[in-house]
Amino acid sequence: MANNKKLWAWLAGIFLASFGVLGLLGREIYVQAPPVPERVVTSSGQPIFTREDIQSGREAWQTLGGMQLGSVWGHGGYVAPDWGADWLHRESTTLLDIWAKKDGAANFAALDAEDKAALEARLKNELRTNSYDPVTGAITVSADRAQAIRATAGHYATLFSSDPRLAELREQYAIPNTSLTNDLDRARLGAFFFWTSWTSVTQRPGQEISYTNNWPHDPLVGNEPQAALGIWSMASFLFLIAGIGWLVWYQARRGEDDHVVAPDKDPFLQLTPTPSMKATTKYFVTVVGLFLAQIFLGAVTAHYAVEGQQFYGYNISEVIPYALTRTWHTQLGIFWIATAWLATGLYFAPMLSNHEPKYQKMGVNILWIALLVVVIGSFAGEWFAIQQKLGHAENFWFGHMGYEFVDLGRFWAILLFAGLMIWLALVGRALWPALKTPGETRGLVGMVFISTICIGLFFGAALTWGRHSPLSMIEYFRWWVVHLWVEGFFEVFATAIIALIFAGLGLVRARAANSAVLFSTVIFLTGGILGTLHHLYFSGTTTPIIAWGAMFSALEVVPLALLGIEALHTYRVTKAAPWVQTYKWPILFFVGVSFWNLVGAGILGFAINPPISLYYVQGLNLTPSHGHAALFGVYGLLGIGLMLFCLRTAYRTTAWSDALLKQAFWTMNVGLGGMVFVSLVPQGLYQAYHSITTGFWYARSPEIIHSPVMETLVWMRVPGDIVFSIGAVLLALFMAKLLIGPRAKQPVGAPEPRPVPEPAMVPAE
């Protein structure tokens, strides 16, 4: 008990200290954010862009799908280019050609090596010199550069029209014809792309690095990695090794947990689901439906990498273009996983407290309707936005926010936040009696309760920015949602629920489980909270962000080092007693979570997290390799495992097919492995080579994205996708069989009735 008090104290201290540092660094990001100029003018005072052009251009970019169509500062889609990197290289080569022609050459390529070197040095000086005047708010450029800027802006105005001159490029980028219907929006879109490019090459005042720490890599303009990237990368490796060494020492010093003798029969066998618990079934049906929809849209999205405007010959881009299918695909991943976890909370809260609050079932039903309203409403708003049927203000509220994973318009985000508050109230009031009752599981219930509060409140970070907030601050709070809300507090919640399940089944001691969950949470949040910063290295932030992010994101990997042992312990639970076989496949889904946590979050995550690594590979296909392996492999399998536990205890007398679950488990895991290691990882490595040797712009160019090697690797994803999809269909068949299948004569898991012995035969006299 004393040890638990120390762990609670450590948890509180780490929570407060980490968020204190995160808040101070957020303030620095706000103060040091790249400025948005009042105007961009030539040295003679001729106007090029205004602040309104840049801000309105950003809103036009959001209506296109924002980060779902190409990327900005490396965050977003992978078929179209990173717009800032693409602008930077186009403007640079255009300016070199302008200078070369003034020197009498046909173009820059026609010059000899000495003249090329002189113009390249001039280019670096021209682009890297910061001409922003904080007093007037003006950026001043030379007449020659103004000519290059106007030519580059013209390229993008043409690209987002229906001009046949760029029809092939639009198809390569998976951009529909006339994706921007308004001429003014097309013109202003270039202003926003110029600004993102300007931040990436212009040096911060008094420093020799750009606002984005010299990202993206482009040697032509002097964008090379700074020394701090290498130094803090080496420090992160040392921090990782030290952390793993300490954890191994701690585990060895603590020794093995006491062996627990499993009960003779299932403690949950006599559980009678309450009306609100039964009402969660519709949530789990929704989970499977959203999961199947996500897989279908993922297949369409992946195919757009080969046929940019068609799906096996059918032109569907006019109705559901790449930006829309990718939006829905990424959002559905969040929606169905979160739904599974939210339903788990609603199911287990009355079960843990043995208390069904008044009107709990009605609250559960209302919340389910609210969920459907948010999903359908936000999807409709995003379709209207990308079809250019909403103005900029309407788009902000009801359309497409443009920021990956938090794409839904502000109105729908507010409704989702309100729904989470309802969920928090429903789970909290059902848990409260258990929280007040002294007992060995009280600490675990307390952890569930705290994580429930955090889940409810931390989505509020998605409501912190306005239409014209600094992009650096939007990125800062966006990753609060993605990293802290999805990857952080949901995982704490799930860890505590699983511990409560095993303790309730009598397979672990409640006191030991409480200590283990507390310790795991302390270790996880030590790296997890400040580890959020590794997403922000190149988002207009300063070097301290790199330092803090590198060190603490390395610590995120530390608890993953012993996941092989955890997986073994979890698997052994299935052998504890014959009745545990009732829960075999839900438990094995948790074993799968441990595997993918190590591989997807650990190995593939750390492969891209060190600053020097991320400098070259941010925005390349190594990122979705980590994303797919971690999001589905960890959080998806976890959601399915929790769902199956709920269904196993709720449907004791209904057909339960272990055969279908076995096939679903293996096909989903094998399919995910094929998708990641046969296709996405090789794609990422191929792009990384070109990013390192030539430049990031080239790794994202059509020459690479649509090269024979890349298109072959895209097609190599098909077998893994098919196997994975079969697993999802099998899971849906299992659900259908469970809900409409025949009833058993007695609850599954109950001991077989012993036969009554017949009386002995007495010989007749």
Side-chain angles (χ1 to χ4, degrees):
M1 187 64 68
N3 184 50
N4 283 353
K5 288 182 179 179
K6 288 183 179 179
L7 287 172
W8 277 109
W10 271 105
L11 179 60
I14 287 167
F15 191 90
L16 293 174
S18 296
F19 274 105
V21 173
L22 194 62
L24 290 174
L25 293 174
R27 180 183 181 278
E28 174 169 331
I29 292 173
Y30 177 78
V31 171
Q32 301 290 341
V36 178
E38 293 297 328
R39 57 190 180 280
V40 180
V41 297
T42 66
S43 51
S44 62
Q46 293 181 336
I48 304 174
F49 299 128
T50 65
R51 182 185 185 89
E52 182 183 358
D53 292 335
I54 296 170
Q55 291 179 334
S56 183
R58 189 174 88 181
E59 292 188 297
W61 164 76
Q62 289 174 263
T63 68
L64 290 166
M67 290 177 178
Q68 303 293 359
L69 183 65
S71 60
V72 166
W73 287 345
H75 295 148
Y78 306 99
V79 176
D82 182 273
W83 300 112
D86 190 66
W87 175 292
L88 178 60
H89 201 76
R90 287 182 184 278
E91 180 191 335
S92 301
T93 54
T94 301
L95 184 54
L96 288 172
D97 282 341
I98 290 171
W99 287 337
K101 290 175 181 178
K102 285 191 172 183
D103 290 341
N107 51 41
F108 177 74
L111 297 174
D112 58 33
E114 184 176 347
D115 290 335
K116 283 182 179 179
L119 288 186
E120 286 175 356
R122 181 182 174 186
L123 176 71
K124 292 175 184 177
N125 182 67
E126 177 93 13
L127 267 60
R128 300 191 70 82
T129 299
N130 193 335
S131 61
Y132 173 72
D133 185 344
V135 176
T136 63
I139 293 174
T140 304
V141 300
S142 67
D144 290 340
R145 187 178 180 187
Q147 182 181 345
I149 289 171
R150 291 190 178 102
T152 308
H155 165 79
Y156 293 106
T158 303
L159 179 66
F160 288 93
S161 70
S162 58
D163 193 310
R165 290 175 296 173
L166 293 183
E168 182 181 358
L169 193 58
R170 275 193 293 275
E171 185 172 359
Q172 291 172 331
Y173 288 168
I175 297 175
N177 290 326
T178 323
S179 49
L180 277 178
T181 57
N182 186 292
D183 291 340
L184 184 59
D185 279 348
R186 284 197 291 269
R188 286 178 164 176
L189 181 66
F192 173 62
F193 289 169
F194 161 79
W195 178 81
T196 61
S197 168
W198 179 83
T199 64
S200 67
V201 71
T202 302
Q203 295 181 166
R204 284 186 178 273
Q207 300 184 41
E208 294 183 359
I209 56 172
S210 73
Y211 286 101
T212 60
N213 291 301
N214 283 0
W215 188 91
H217 181 226
D218 192 341
L220 182 64
V221 297
N223 265 12
E224 301 278 7
Q226 57 170 311
L229 297 181
I231 292 171
W232 289 111
S233 295
M234 290 187 290
S236 72
F237 278 96
L238 296 176
F239 223 42
L240 170 62
I241 294 169
I244 292 175
W246 175 84
L247 182 60
V248 171
W249 171 83
Y250 178 88
Q251 291 291 97
R253 180 172 175 266
R254 191 181 68 170
E256 292 288 332
D257 293 332
D258 293 337
H259 178 67
V260 177
V261 178
D264 294 333
K265 62 180 182 178
D266 183 354
F268 290 165
L269 191 59
Q270 302 304 319
L271 171 70
T272 301
T274 67
S276 72
M277 293 168 67
K278 292 179 181 178
T280 61
T281 299
K282 65 175 71 68
Y283 284 77
F284 297 126
V285 173
T286 304
V287 164
V288 175
L290 296 178
F291 183 30
L292 292 173
Q294 187 203 14
I295 291 172
F296 171 74
L297 289 167
V300 176
T301 302
H303 190 79
Y304 271 132
V306 179
E307 290 186 281
Q309 295 176 339
Q310 299 188 2
F311 186 70
Y312 293 101
Y314 294 94
N315 188 349
I316 62 174
S317 65
E318 301 298 326
V319 180
I320 50 170
Y322 170 86
L324 188 65
T325 62
R326 192 175 190 276
T327 297
W328 288 350
H329 175 69
T330 54
Q331 272 196 243
L332 282 170
I334 301 296
F335 279 142
W336 78 257
I337 292 172
T339 301
W341 292 10
L342 296 177
T344 299
L346 294 170
Y347 184 88
F348 274 101
M351 176 179 166
L352 294 172
S353 65
N354 197 27
H355 171 66
E356 173 89 344
K358 194 175 182 180
Y359 304 122
Q360 184 79 353
K361 178 182 177 181
M362 183 177 69
V364 170
N365 290 333
I366 290 173
L367 183 60
W368 179 75
I369 294 172
L371 170 68
L372 293 184
V373 169
V374 169
V375 173
I376 296 171
S378 64
F379 278 25
E382 287 150 0
W383 185 87
F384 279 106
I386 290 177
Q387 293 295 327
Q388 299 297 296
K389 297 182 183 297
L390 299 176
H392 290 181
E394 293 82 1
N395 179 69
F396 176 82
W397 284 100
F398 302 104
H400 203 306
M401 194 65 73
Y403 304 112
E404 193 179 24
F405 297 112
V406 284
D407 302 282
L408 64 173
R410 178 55 52 83
F411 175 77
W412 309 112
I414 291 172
L415 284 188
L416 179 55
F417 184 70
L420 288 169
M421 292 299 99
I422 296 173
W423 176 78
L424 172 58
L426 291 171
V427 175
R429 73 192 197 122
L431 276 179
W432 190 248
L435 195 61
K436 294 192 299 181
T437 304
E440 289 191 341
T441 60
R442 187 177 182 179
L444 289 173
V445 175
M447 185 62 74
V448 171
F449 187 73
I450 291 172
S451 59
T452 299
I453 294 172
C454 291
I455 290 170
L457 295 178
F458 268 81
F459 181 76
L463 309 177
T464 55
W465 62 80
R467 288 175 59 187
H468 300 138
S469 296
L471 188 56
S472 295
M473 291 306 298
I474 294 175
E475 284 293 274
Y476 172 74
F477 282 115
R478 182 172 76 92
W479 287 107
W480 274 49
V481 177
V482 181
H483 190 92
L484 291 176
W485 185 65
V486 176
E487 300 178 23
F489 297 114
F490 265 118
E491 182 155 331
V492 174
F493 167 81
T495 302
I497 284 286
I498 292 171
L500 276 167
I501 290 172
F502 286 171
L505 290 172
L507 302 177
V508 298
R509 298 189 190 280
R511 183 175 298 178
N514 189 21
S515 298
V517 169
L518 270 173
F519 179 73
S520 298
T521 304
V522 167
I523 297 299
F524 175 73
L525 293 185
T526 297
I529 295 174
L530 289 174
T532 306
L533 298 170
H534 77 255
H535 298 285
L536 303 173
Y537 293 156
F538 313 117
S539 298
T541 59
T542 54
T543 302
I545 304 301
I546 294 175
W548 285 94
M551 301 298 279
F552 282 89
S553 65
L555 287 184
E556 289 185 276
V557 184
V558 168
L560 308 182
L562 300 181
L563 281 178
I565 299 173
E566 181 180 327
L568 179 61
H569 287 331
T570 305
Y571 177 73
R572 285 175 176 171
V573 165
T574 63
K575 310 294 183 181
W579 60 264
V580 183
Q581 290 297 305
T582 304
Y583 303 99
K584 176 181 177 180
W585 288 104
I587 292 173
L588 286 180
F589 271 92
F590 297 151
V591 175
V593 169
S594 296
F595 172 81
W596 287 108
N597 225 337
L598 177 62
V599 174
I603 297 172
L604 294 177
F606 192 71
I608 65 175
N609 280 356
I612 193 63
S613 174
L614 199 60
Y615 178 82
Y616 291 109
V617 304
Q618 177 163 290
L620 305 183
N621 274 287
L622 284 176
T623 303
S625 302
H626 158 63
H628 282 75
L631 186 60
F632 177 79
V634 179
Y635 305 106
L637 289 181
L638 192 54
I640 293 172
L642 291 171
M643 175 181 75
L644 293 176
F645 253 108
C646 296
L647 294 173
R648 175 72 289 184
T649 57
Y651 290 86
R652 287 286 188 177
T653 60
T654 309
W656 180 277
S657 177
D658 277 343
L660 282 175
L661 284 182
K662 177 181 179 179
Q663 295 168 31
F665 174 83
W666 286 113
T667 49
M668 281 192 281
N669 279 280
V670 171
L672 178 61
M675 183 193 312
V676 170
F677 293 107
V678 176
S679 179
L680 290 174
V681 169
Q683 287 180 55
L685 292 174
Y686 180 72
Q687 286 182 291
Y689 170 80
H690 291 289
S691 176
I692 294 168
T693 57
T694 303
F696 176 78
W697 65 272
Y698 185 63
R700 287 284 297 273
S701 68
E703 289 80 2
I704 298 300
I705 296 296
H706 291 283
S707 66
V709 172
M710 284 291 286
E711 292 201 345
T712 300
L713 289 172
V714 171
W715 282 111
M716 287 175 65
R717 179 175 165 169
V718 172
D721 284 0
I722 291 174
V723 173
F724 183 85
S725 301
I726 290 172
V729 172
L730 290 170
L731 182 65
L733 290 175
F734 163 83
M735 178 70 77
K737 184 177 180 181
L738 182 69
L739 297 181
I740 63 177
R743 300 278 177 175
K745 292 182 179 179
Q746 65 174 0
V748 177
E752 293 291 335
R754 296 180 179 178
V756 179
E758 296 182 4
M761 298 294 293
V762 180
E765 293 184 357

